[in-house]
Amino acid sequence: MRDTKATTNAPATALKPKKRARWTRDDTELTILALPTTIWYVLFCYLPMFGIILAFKDYRIVDAKQSFLYNLFASDWAGFRNFNYFLDLPNFANIVRNTLLYNVVFIILGIVIPVGLAIMINNIYSKRASKTYQTLMFMPHFMSWVVVSYFVYAFLSPEKGLINGILRSLGKDPILWYSKEGAPYWPFLIVFINVWKTMGYNMVVYLASITGIDSSLYEAAVLDGASKLQQARYITLPSLRPIIIMMFILSVGRIFSTDFGLFYQVTRYVPRSLREVATTFDVQIYKMVTEMKGMLPQSAAGSFFQSAVGCVTILIANGIVRKVDKTSALI
């Protein structure tokens, strides 16, 4: 009997899983690898969040000999007065309209055009041509807005601009692009320049996702007689849906923020003639800091308002996606 029990208990003992060590060498290596990024985020993303307190303070220099932190804590609390000032701006409705409409167009075109380009480049048989097109489209992403602004000015300069030179050669009057006369053209110019600069990066993201699709799906589709358009419709686009949804949610989170360089540098510092079509939240906050003395708390309130609304919009977008397709939601 004892022998039988011993033989029956032996397999059970052998099948017991070994307990994993709490900390392994792999954990140490991965921690060291992630440490620089963690430090960067702490220094530049989390510590600056302390400045949110400025939005709720009536900041004054109480003692010029003391530090900024001393004057900040010594200043009186303002509650939500700084937010009220920002919301009561005469051009607040125009700022909201510009920021939202531009971002809606950017989001739509930032998905449709890069996805279409990625599908077309993926269908190019010549690898050399494919790499060449990718490089040419990706290069604008590495240009700063200062460089882009000089390119744009070379085209739109009232005196020596390329476009006005062509108009003069055709016997037509030149267009004063940076005056009130050129204001109606700027919404289209801003959209075009933004798409030109950003489509290369987004295209590479979608192209990388396309290369990860199982090639056997395309082979089966070819055997069934599917055309390239049908392959893109029934294989590529459904496979890209998760990454498209993720990029959409991230874009929605920035719907109340704009690229400052696009609206400020490219328009040559937003002259008075273009303020109605080029003033967004970021441009207004910058002008409050640089042109209006003592507007630091109000500008901080405007930035905090941007961040809060962006957080709410990304949660709403994620919630809608989660109800439609739970697996594609970020949270």
Side-chain angles (χ1 to χ4, degrees):
M1 293 294 292
R2 290 181 180 176
D3 295 335
T4 307
K5 288 181 179 180
T7 54
T8 54
N9 291 334
T13 305
L15 291 175
K16 285 184 178 180
K18 294 182 180 180
K19 290 184 178 180
R20 182 180 179 273
R22 292 186 177 181
W23 193 267
T24 63
R25 183 177 178 179
D26 291 340
D27 294 328
T28 304
E29 293 176 354
L30 292 173
T31 301
I32 295 174
L33 186 64
L35 192 60
T37 304
T38 304
I39 295 174
W40 188 91
Y41 268 96
V42 170
L43 292 178
F44 296 101
C45 295
Y46 289 101
L47 286 182
M49 290 179 68
F50 172 79
I52 292 174
I53 193 175
L54 185 62
F56 302 93
K57 283 278 192 175
D58 185 13
Y59 179 73
R60 294 288 184 272
I61 300 178
V62 180
D63 188 350
K65 296 181 180 179
Q66 298 295 332
S67 64
F68 169 78
L69 291 178
Y70 174 86
N71 289 286
L72 178 62
F73 285 111
S75 301
D76 297 329
W77 288 96
F80 290 95
R81 289 201 303 271
N82 295 327
F83 293 89
N84 293 334
Y85 175 87
F86 191 82
L87 296 175
D88 292 338
L89 288 173
N91 60 337
F92 181 76
N94 183 65
I95 294 173
V96 174
R97 182 201 66 183
N98 289 344
T99 305
L100 289 180
L101 290 182
Y102 279 124
N103 278 315
V104 168
V105 176
F106 292 164
I107 290 172
I108 295 173
L109 296 181
I111 293 175
V112 175
I113 295 178
V115 169
L117 290 174
I119 293 174
M120 287 189 289
I121 289 180
N122 185 64
N123 288 320
I124 296 177
Y125 291 104
S126 175
K127 295 297 182 182
R128 180 176 295 180
S130 176
K131 296 297 182 182
T132 302
Y133 296 146
Q134 290 181 48
T135 303
L136 292 175
M137 293 179 185
F138 198 45
M139 280 182 62
H141 173 74
F142 296 100
M143 293 184 184
S144 69
W145 283 114
V146 177
V147 176
V148 174
S149 68
Y150 281 106
F151 278 113
V152 174
Y153 189 73
F155 280 90
L156 304 182
S157 174
E159 297 84 13
K160 300 180 180 180
L162 178 62
I163 295 179
N164 280 338
I166 295 174
L167 292 175
R168 289 191 184 95
S169 64
L170 295 176
K172 297 183 179 180
D173 296 329
I175 299 174
L176 302 178
W177 297 98
Y178 297 94
S179 67
K180 201 74 176 178
E181 179 188 350
Y185 301 101
W186 273 100
F188 304 99
L189 291 172
I190 289 173
V191 171
F192 173 79
I193 295 168
N194 181 77
V195 172
W196 169 77
K197 191 175 187 300
T198 60
M199 68 178 181
Y201 175 81
N202 295 331
M203 180 205 65
V204 170
V205 172
Y206 293 121
L207 190 60
S209 300
I210 291 175
T211 56
I213 301 174
D214 190 357
S215 59
S216 62
L217 297 175
Y218 294 101
E219 293 171 1
V222 171
L223 293 176
D224 291 338
S227 63
K228 289 292 183 181
L229 185 60
Q230 291 173 327
Q231 294 177 35
R233 180 180 178 183
Y234 296 106
I235 299 176
T236 308
L237 290 178
S239 300
L240 288 178
R241 186 175 65 177
I243 188 66
I244 291 175
I245 293 176
M246 184 188 72
M247 298 289 283
F248 169 76
I249 294 175
L250 294 176
S251 299
V252 169
R254 298 189 297 268
I255 198 168
F256 269 84
S257 301
T258 52
D259 199 322
F260 176 76
L262 171 62
F263 290 90
Y264 189 77
Q265 293 287 347
V266 174
T267 59
R268 309 296 291 180
Y269 320 119
V270 192
R272 186 176 299 274
S273 56
L274 302 182
R275 287 185 180 180
E276 186 176 349
V277 297
T279 302
T280 60
F281 273 105
D282 299 274
V283 173
Q284 181 63 34
I285 291 171
Y286 177 78
K287 287 185 174 293
M288 289 170 63
V289 174
T290 56
E291 297 180 3
M292 307 176 188
K293 294 183 179 180
M295 291 290 108
L296 192 59
Q298 289 80 3
S299 61
S303 298
F304 182 73
F305 174 80
Q306 275 185 292
S307 301
V309 175
C311 180
V312 171
T313 53
I314 198 171
L315 290 176
I316 292 174
N318 184 80
I320 295 172
V321 171
R322 188 177 180 84
K323 288 186 176 181
V324 177
D325 185 3
K326 190 175 182 179
T327 58
S328 299
L330 292 179
I331 305 173

